[in-house]
Amino acid sequence: MTAKAAEYAVPAGRIDAPRPQHTARSSDYSGLLRQVRDAGLLDRRPRYYVGKVAAVLLALVAGWTAFVLIGESWWQLGTAAFLAAVFAQLAFLGHDAGHRQITGRRNRDYLLGILFGNLAIGVGIGWWTSNHNRHHAHPNTEDADPDIMGVLAHSSLRARAGRGLRGVVFRYQGWLFFPMLLLEGWSLHFSSVRAIVRRDIPRRGLEAATLFAHAAGYLTVVFLVLPPLQAIVFTVVQQGLFGLYMGATFAPNHKGMEILPAGDNTDYLRRQVLTARNVRGGFVVDTAFGGLNYQIEHHLFPSMPRPNLRRAQPIVAAYCADLGVPYCETGVIASYAQSIGHLNTVGQSTRTTAAHA
């Protein structure tokens, strides 16, 4: 590893040996792909998704029905929490549609993404797909992965470059992380609208109309049922908890894993495995994380249907062990400890620099 790469690298809870130094063969990924395909793990799972979609939409209808029946009451904050969780589950379905995991057809999955994203929760599938594809192509890569170019610093090099308010956020980002997630829902809405205004996405008319339909429907129902103060508080709580839930499921995926320098040419298999972390758990964790707790398998095979990720995990882990490629898998609590610990370590580097300035 070069000195520049070492500046970015952050080992955190990986399993097995250090990163191999040999030049990777292009056949490494193709061999794993062959095993996964032969096991039928890239095949569509229509029955699973019919059941999952029905359950989530039923929960959505139940949540809004309860909201109307309860009426003017501060007990609606409980409804807000429930709907925040349902919105997150809809976002996971939108994520799957964006990767064509559901039908495997571009137009059909796009329309499902419009339903789950734009109409149901107000997050534009066009913006999200474009942004997320960049992340998948260059995970944890400086100046290429949009997920590490936002309000947080993932490398000490970037943290030390922060100035003004950004520098303050970088310095205390470990402590600020969860409070800032309360704004994540609003950020998703803002980014969706901005992409339309900037003409960054195709089908802008459809995207704009469906986002407007969601906003109009949401605000109309909330302000018709609740008096203004309760309506505002309900909206703030529901959107805040939605963002918190989403951010909390994304946090363990890559934070604290290897950060690659701009222009890095690591091969596809190692780039996806070394920068991702799996979170162990059974049915509850799989459901709560929307399958994203199998982050390594998802990054290696983005179009793999969600229920197949669990079955692919032992195949991928064994294959990586044979190659000597570190494979990180940990429990829920440890994953958060590693992620927040990494953010604190990076933030500490700015305080150390300031103390010696």
Side-chain angles (χ1 to χ4, degrees):
M1 184 181 294
T2 65
K4 183 177 181 181
E7 170 72 25
Y8 287 87
V10 182
R14 293 198 203 94
I15 298 173
D16 298 326
R19 178 177 175 178
Q21 298 298 311
H22 67 274
T23 301
R25 300 191 303 272
S26 60
S27 61
D28 284 347
Y29 178 71
S30 62
L32 177 59
L33 175 62
R34 189 179 309 112
Q35 289 188 31
V36 167
R37 182 181 288 126
D38 290 346
L41 299 180
L42 296 179
D43 298 343
R44 299 304 98 193
R45 295 289 299 274
R47 290 185 180 179
Y48 168 86
Y49 277 109
V50 167
K52 177 65 71 174
V53 170
V56 175
L57 291 181
L58 180 62
L60 181 67
V61 171
W64 283 117
T65 300
F67 175 81
V68 173
L69 293 177
I70 293 171
E72 182 178 339
S73 170
W74 287 108
W75 287 107
Q76 292 285 20
L77 297 184
T79 311
F82 176 79
L83 284 172
V86 175
F87 271 37
Q89 291 297 321
L90 285 161
F92 294 145
L93 287 173
H95 168 271
D96 292 1
H99 282 297
R100 303 185 206 172
Q101 295 178 17
I102 301 178
T103 72
R105 304 287 184 86
R106 179 193 297 269
N107 288 336
R108 291 180 184 178
D109 278 323
Y110 174 75
L111 291 177
L112 288 175
I114 287 286
L115 170 63
F116 302 137
N118 297 50
L119 278 173
I121 64 175
V123 176
I125 189 65
W127 162 77
W128 178 86
T129 300
S130 174
N131 190 75
H132 197 60
N133 284 345
R134 290 165 58 202
H135 160 68
H136 269 264
H138 304 283
N140 271 23
T141 304
E142 292 281 357
D143 298 329
D145 181 359
D147 285 4
I148 65 168
M149 295 161 58
V151 297
L152 301 176
H154 295 258
S155 70
S156 57
L157 189 66
R158 183 165 187 262
R160 290 195 294 268
R163 296 292 182 271
L165 179 60
R166 181 179 292 263
V168 174
V169 172
F170 287 169
R171 185 174 303 178
Y172 301 104
Q173 60 184 6
W175 295 97
L176 294 173
F177 177 67
F178 284 109
M180 286 193 299
L181 289 184
L182 294 171
L183 301 175
E184 178 65 18
W186 302 103
S187 175
L188 294 173
H189 300 317
F190 173 77
S191 297
S192 299
V193 173
R194 182 177 59 182
I196 294 173
V197 173
R198 290 183 174 180
R199 302 174 181 270
D200 290 340
I201 57 174
R203 304 183 183 181
R204 291 172 57 246
L206 177 60
E207 295 270 351
T210 48
L211 285 177
F212 177 80
H214 166 81
Y218 181 101
L219 295 175
T220 298
V221 171
V222 170
F223 280 87
L224 278 178
V225 172
L226 299 179
L229 177 60
Q230 287 187 359
I232 292 171
V233 173
F234 174 90
T235 302
V236 169
V237 170
Q238 195 270 332
Q239 293 293 320
L241 293 179
F242 165 54
L244 179 64
Y245 187 157
M246 292 302 297
T249 58
F250 296 153
N253 297 345
H254 301 281
K255 290 176 177 58
M257 300 307 296
E258 186 159 345
I259 303 295
L260 304 176
D264 181 82
N265 61 357
T266 302
D267 69 288
Y268 179 79
L269 183 143
R270 289 166 178 80
R271 183 165 71 247
Q272 303 300 338
V273 175
L274 295 173
T275 59
R277 175 193 294 110
N278 276 16
V279 180
R280 286 192 296 269
F283 173 79
V284 173
V285 173
D286 291 358
T287 302
F289 280 74
L292 296 179
N293 49 312
Y294 300 104
Q295 190 68 193
I296 295 173
E297 288 70 33
H298 171 58
H299 262 258
L300 287 169
F301 308 102
S303 65
M304 179 181 289
R306 189 195 308 183
N308 290 348
L309 295 171
R310 176 180 59 83
R311 297 167 56 199
Q313 189 275 332
I315 297 175
V316 174
Y319 192 85
C320 288
D322 289 343
L323 289 179
V325 175
Y327 180 100
C328 182
E329 184 178 36
T330 187
V332 175
I333 295 176
S335 71
Y336 285 118
Q338 292 173 12
S339 301
I340 302 304
H342 167 67
L343 293 178
N344 271 324
T345 299
V346 172
Q348 181 65 45
S349 70
T350 67
R351 295 193 288 271
T352 302
T353 301
H356 289 84

